[in-house]
């Protein structure tokens, strides 16, 4: 269990102090708590399936994806490399999911996946999340 370890480290003072004030844009606490499309604009970009999309590389961007964003804030899409399953918990809109093989070719497409679902494709190497088209 990770929580007791984190609490113990904080209590004994082995964690370094934060170099930024809590309200600053560069603060790690402010970045984690901020739920806006800014988190997608900070990600690297890559062209996949004819779209230039953000690439989720870190833990936070992979975990959150489009969660708690409106469809208008989501942008053209999000590529999650080294992934063969996704969840739609926290979503405010439906997703089109394209599971890709190692060469970037589509293996499976799931259209209009509603919130609170779990979808997987065993042979996939990446997932392209797209806001569902109307």
């Amino acid at each position: 269990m990770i929580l007791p370890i984190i609490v113990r480290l904080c209590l004994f003072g082995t964690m370094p102090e934060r170099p930024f004030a809590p309200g600053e844009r560069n603060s790690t606490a402010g970045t984690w708590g901020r739920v806006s499309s800014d988190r997608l604009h900070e990600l690297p970009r890559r062209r996949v399936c004819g779209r230039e999309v953000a690439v989720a590389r870190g833990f936070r961007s992979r975990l959150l994806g489009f969660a708690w964003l409106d469809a208008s804030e989501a942008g053209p899409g999000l590529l999650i490399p080294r992934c063969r399953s996704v969840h739609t918990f926290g979503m405010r809109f439906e997703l089109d999911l394209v599971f890709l093989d190692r060469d970037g070719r589509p293996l499976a497409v799931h259209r209009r996946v509603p919130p609170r679902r779990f979808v997987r494709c065993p042979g996939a190497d990446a997932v392209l999340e797209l806001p569902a088209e109307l």
Side-chain angles (χ1 to χ4, degrees):
M1 186 183 227
I2 295 174
L3 186 58
I5 294 169
I6 293 171
V7 171
R8 186 176 303 148
L9 289 174
C10 291
L11 290 176
F12 292 118
T14 57
M15 298 288 289
E17 290 187 38
R18 283 194 328 227
F20 302 104
E24 288 186 30
R25 184 171 176 84
N26 292 332
S27 169
T28 55
T31 305
W32 180 265
R34 186 175 62 233
V35 178
S36 71
S37 60
D38 288 350
R39 71 176 191 234
L40 298 177
H41 294 296
E42 298 167 357
L43 298 175
R45 302 265 175 209
R46 186 168 146 196
R47 192 155 190 83
V48 180
C49 295
R51 296 176 183 234
E52 186 165 324
V53 297
V55 180
R57 290 190 177 166
F59 174 76
R60 179 177 168 265
S61 60
R62 292 172 65 90
L63 176 69
L64 293 178
F66 290 142
W68 298 295
L69 296 177
D70 292 326
S72 61
E73 296 175 314
L78 180 68
L79 177 67
I80 306 173
R82 300 175 322 278
C83 179
R84 48 182 73 130
S85 62
V86 295
H87 68 84
T88 59
F89 295 95
M91 295 299 301
R92 294 182 177 172
F93 54 93
E94 295 177 333
L95 286 180
D96 288 339
L97 301 173
V98 181
F99 290 90
L100 306 169
D101 67 6
R102 189 166 291 207
D103 297 322
R105 292 184 301 246
L107 288 175
V109 177
H110 297 269
R111 298 206 183 274
R112 304 193 67 78
V113 177
R116 297 177 306 280
R117 299 293 191 275
F118 184 80
V119 183
R120 64 186 292 248
C121 179
D125 188 60
V127 179
L128 179 60
E129 292 185 349
L130 306 167
E133 296 182 13
L134 299 174

